[in-house]
Amino acid sequence: MSYLALYRKFRPDSFDEVKGQEHVVTTLKNQIAHNRVGHAYLLCGTRGTGKTTIAKLIAKTMNCENPTENGPCGVCESCKAIADGSSLNVVEIDAATHNGVDNIRQINEAVQYAPAQGKYLVYIIDEAHQLSKGAYNALLKTLEEPPEYVMFILATTDDSSLPVTLRSRCQRFDFHRISVETIADRMEEILAREGESATRDALMYIARLADGSMRDALSILDECLSVNIGKELNRESVLKIVGAVAVDVYIRMFRAIVNKNAEEALDIINETIWDGKDLTKFSDDLAWFVRNMLFLKISPGIKDELDMTSENADELLAMAENYSVEELAGYLNTLQLLCSEIRKSSVKRITLEMTIIKMMYPSAAAPQGVSTNVTDMDSAADVAPGSNAKNFSGLTDREVEALVDAKVDRELERRIGEALRTIKLLDQDFSNAGAAQQYDDSQQSDIVVENIKNDFPEAVQSDIMQLAKDWKDIVAKLNPIHRRYARAVDVEPSNDYEVNGPARLNVILYDANNGKITNTFFENEKNREFLAEAISEIIKKKVELGIIVRKGVRTDLDKTSRAINRIKFNVTVIESEEERNG
């Protein structure tokens, strides 16, 4: 194969040619100049940012016969051998396929022998995070104290998977995503050396598609040049090759949305599909389009910094004048959700079309009977239990989430939404008509009502002790949401109470469970208020819930412990009643 891909052909031969990683280059050049080179390096960063390039430059420089301040000379026998992959002094290992302990043992044995030619034996381990646990352990001692002629360079895209013991033995360099401008400038240099040409807006678009990766950008450029051999590469050609859509199509689509022109919107989607465009890419670019319009609305002076022509920027700025910041932010939020959903959808066209319809008619996004007006939502919070509200058992997941969104804060919405989906799959009694009716009644109390009602007398210590004794029976009467969390914890009466005064029931959490959903649920004060309200309606006493965090992990109490607790509760209740009557 005579042709060499651009990203391989133009791999930097000196430190000065490395783009976008000046902080790494400067440090390494200073270390080499002052003979302070380390024995182990860890290069971390996303794909295509220069990790392997830097590793090879270090290896070349350390073995170069005539090194310069910018790295290897590139003309000595050592540099040529490393460049064509024939050098025995530089060993590249792909940890994705050579990740076993035996592979590392071979390295440990090989490092005992000094190189016959050259100065250093350099091991470059790519995708180091894929090494097995045994391989890590086998490498640690050699990595910590290798022979003076051995150097290790580890490259990884997932440094969090590496053990701390390995990371602490290396000098770490974090590689940044490369800016769009830097990538475009590098592509211009390469095109000049190749005798090709391209417009600046075409290169800027390719650079944005690369998402900070120089290698991805050069791969896309390589493909585009193959289609336009001998011609100037322009933005329209790039759009056709990568399956993207011109800006004027997004202008048409946005106007169709705000004008509620469903026919025009469907025509645009049809054209996009028949032109072979990817609907996922179409959704992403439509979101970028609205994002640019929003930023132009907020700050018109940044139009020169956006990835578009000045003509398109002026047109977007003119369009943005017709809409408020809140409207554009709402559109962008909807499109952001679309970008996430369409990737998982098996019918991408319908997912896109339904989102467009919801943007045209916001009321279509909420189920019938659920108001999207803020005033209506506030008044809905006062709905009393037992009112003629819609039964949750007849709602879809999306409708339940919409109802929750109208009643609770955003964090609680996420947690309860997850609980509802799990309950519908796992709770057998959810499909039972009686259970469904109970769920409907209690749901009104724990979601619609925000605070503990004052209709009941305050629970005193004897009530709380009885509640702790009957906790299992009380939990069984709760709705599925609260039942899931309440049955996962132990409870006990609070000791800080006044005789004949109000008392509190404490939920016991364990620090070893930190981060789990049950602990997270009860640590939220609003969640405890909702649960307390549900319990209050069952025992007809106003209950307050607190939390106690203890060390260890929760285990089920054995029968003996439960019996002892019952005796303890009974004795305390009698004493409290005597004090009250005395």
Side-chain angles (χ1 to χ4, degrees):
M1 183 181 296
S2 59
Y3 183 74
L4 199 62
L6 290 179
Y7 75 85
R8 296 179 60 192
K9 183 177 180 180
F10 293 98
R11 187 185 293 275
D13 294 322
S14 67
F15 286 118
D16 284 349
E17 290 186 18
V18 177
K19 305 297 181 182
Q21 310 299 344
E22 287 75 13
H23 62 295
V24 176
V25 170
T26 301
T27 304
L28 290 174
K29 288 171 67 175
N30 287 337
Q31 288 185 347
I32 294 171
H34 295 87
N35 197 26
R36 297 175 60 88
V37 179
H39 67 274
Y41 290 95
L42 177 60
L43 312 182
C44 310
T46 57
R47 70 190 189 284
T49 51
K51 299 185 297 297
T52 304
T53 295
I54 288 290
K56 289 186 175 182
L57 284 175
I58 295 174
K60 279 186 179 182
T61 304
M62 298 308 296
N63 284 286
C64 182
E65 298 173 8
N66 304 295
T68 68
E69 61 178 9
N70 292 325
C73 67
V75 296
C76 67
E77 292 300 322
S78 177
C79 288
K80 291 180 179 179
I82 295 174
D84 60 26
S86 62
S87 174
L88 299 178
N89 288 2
V90 178
V91 181
E92 292 189 56
I93 301 172
D94 179 16
T97 54
H98 300 80
N99 55 8
V101 65
D102 290 337
N103 301 113
I104 302 302
R105 283 174 180 164
Q106 293 176 8
I107 296 176
N108 292 342
E109 294 173 1
V111 299
Q112 304 302 320
Y113 305 96
Q117 295 178 342
K119 308 172 186 176
Y120 287 89
L121 185 60
V122 183
Y123 285 91
I124 300 175
I125 303 178
D126 202 9
E127 300 299 328
H129 61 277
Q130 298 201 40
L131 288 174
S132 65
K133 183 177 180 181
Y136 285 135
N137 293 332
L139 181 63
L140 287 178
K141 188 60 178 177
T142 303
L143 189 67
E144 182 176 24
E145 297 179 357
E148 61 180 8
Y149 51 81
V150 175
M151 177 183 296
F152 287 95
I153 305 176
L154 283 62
T156 178
T157 56
D158 185 13
D159 61 287
S160 60
S161 298
L162 296 173
V164 177
T165 50
L166 187 145
R167 281 181 282 171
S168 65
R169 288 166 164 82
C170 303
Q171 290 190 33
R172 172 180 175 138
F173 290 98
D174 289 302
F175 284 64
H176 304 160
R177 289 180 184 269
I178 307 174
S179 68
V180 172
E181 288 284 348
T182 302
I183 293 176
D185 292 341
R186 177 62 175 170
M187 287 191 290
E188 279 189 346
E189 293 177 13
I190 292 174
L191 287 174
R193 294 164 67 177
E194 284 285 280
E196 300 285 351
S197 62
T199 61
R200 182 67 180 183
D201 59 341
L203 297 180
M204 291 292 288
Y205 187 75
I206 293 175
R208 184 166 70 82
L209 290 178
D211 192 26
S213 169
M214 184 69 76
R215 183 174 62 235
D216 288 4
L218 295 181
S219 296
I220 298 172
L221 178 62
D222 212 345
E223 180 183 359
C224 294
L225 290 177
S226 299
V227 179
N228 291 268
I229 296 177
K231 301 178 183 177
E232 183 181 52
L233 184 64
N234 55 39
R235 186 184 177 94
E236 288 69 25
S237 299
V238 174
L239 292 174
K240 291 179 181 179
I241 294 167
V242 302
V245 181
V247 175
D248 60 337
V249 175
Y250 299 115
I251 294 175
R252 286 173 53 204
M253 174 60 83
F254 188 77
R255 285 175 175 168
I257 292 171
V258 296
N259 293 329
K260 298 184 178 180
N261 189 342
E263 183 178 356
E264 173 70 5
L266 293 178
D267 285 344
I268 294 172
I269 295 175
N270 277 331
E271 293 173 9
T272 302
I273 293 173
W274 283 106
D275 287 342
K277 311 301 184 185
D278 180 23
L279 291 183
T280 301
K281 186 70 173 63
F282 178 88
S283 303
D284 290 345
D285 286 347
L286 182 58
W288 272 97
F289 174 84
V290 178
R291 172 257 188 192
N292 289 340
M293 190 185 303
L294 175 60
F295 274 95
L296 286 170
K297 174 72 175 181
I298 297 173
S299 180
I302 67 170
K303 70 177 184 177
D304 294 333
E305 301 177 16
L306 298 178
D307 178 25
M308 61 176 57
T309 63
S310 58
E311 294 79 6
N312 286 333
D314 291 336
E315 188 166 1
L316 259 67
L317 183 57
M319 291 178 63
E321 295 297 327
N322 300 320
Y323 313 103
S324 66
V325 171
E326 292 74 17
E327 288 175 320
L328 293 176
Y331 287 136
L332 182 57
N333 185 55
T334 302
L335 290 172
Q336 184 182 6
L337 296 175
L338 168 65
C339 293
S340 175
E341 292 178 359
I342 200 168
R343 282 171 167 78
K344 300 176 289 185
S345 175
S346 58
V347 191
K348 298 183 184 298
R349 174 171 183 159
I350 293 179
T351 303
L352 174 60
E353 290 173 345
M354 286 305 300
T355 301
I356 297 300
I357 295 300
K358 290 173 184 176
M359 292 174 69
M360 293 180 181
Y361 302 95
S363 58
Q368 186 177 2
V370 179
S371 174
T372 57
N373 183 276
V374 175
T375 305
D376 294 341
M377 288 191 292
D378 292 340
S379 61
D382 298 326
V383 176
S387 63
N388 188 22
K390 191 168 184 175
N391 194 310
F392 268 61
S393 61
L395 298 181
T396 64
D397 285 348
R398 188 174 293 276
E399 290 171 332
V400 170
E401 290 173 358
L403 185 57
V404 171
D405 185 29
K407 306 299 184 292
V408 298
D409 63 285
R410 298 182 67 86
E411 178 65 15
L412 187 59
E413 171 205 352
R414 180 182 65 79
R415 295 175 186 164
I416 292 182
E418 291 177 356
L420 287 173
R421 285 190 289 272
T422 303
I423 289 161
K424 292 185 74 173
L425 293 174
L426 301 179
D427 276 11
Q428 296 295 325
D429 62 341
F430 189 78
S431 58
N432 180 273
Q437 181 60 46
Q438 178 189 8
Y439 177 67
D440 174 47
D441 294 340
S442 59
Q443 187 69 34
Q444 302 307 316
S445 63
D446 68 355
I447 291 184
V448 178
V449 182
E450 293 185 357
N451 299 307
I452 298 177
K453 294 171 59 177
N454 296 319
D455 297 345
F456 305 120
E458 292 182 338
V460 296
Q461 186 72 354
S462 58
D463 298 322
I464 297 300
M465 290 181 174
Q466 189 65 39
L467 175 59
K469 279 179 53 181
D470 300 336
W471 182 247
K472 185 175 180 180
D473 296 332
I474 298 296
V475 169
K477 297 178 183 179
L478 295 171
N479 66 64
I481 296 176
H482 287 142
R483 185 163 62 244
R484 176 187 178 189
Y485 296 109
R487 67 187 176 194
V489 296
D490 296 325
V491 296
E492 67 178 25
S494 172
N495 292 325
D496 54 341
Y497 71 97
E498 299 178 2
V499 178
N500 299 331
R504 183 177 71 250
L505 182 70
N506 284 333
V507 174
I508 304 173
L509 305 178
Y510 294 88
D511 59 0
N513 293 332
N514 278 350
K516 293 191 175 181
I517 190 170
T518 301
N519 282 25
T520 305
F521 178 87
F522 282 103
E523 287 168 355
N524 186 299
E525 183 178 356
K526 185 174 290 187
N527 290 349
R528 296 200 302 274
E529 289 181 0
F530 288 145
L531 178 57
E533 166 62 19
I535 296 173
S536 297
E537 292 188 357
I538 294 174
I539 70 171
K540 306 304 179 185
K541 296 288 181 70
K542 181 179 177 180
V543 176
E544 291 188 4
L545 293 181
I547 57 173
I548 294 178
V549 180
R550 291 178 177 170
K551 294 187 177 297
V553 180
R554 176 181 183 263
T555 57
D556 292 332
L557 298 174
D558 55 32
K559 294 181 179 180
T560 304
S561 298
R562 292 185 184 279
I564 293 174
N565 283 340
R566 290 193 188 97
I567 294 172
K568 177 181 177 181
F569 288 147
N570 288 334
V571 172
T572 310
V573 168
I574 293 173
E575 291 176 351
S576 298
E577 290 178 349
E578 289 177 351
E579 291 176 356
R580 188 183 308 164
N581 296 331

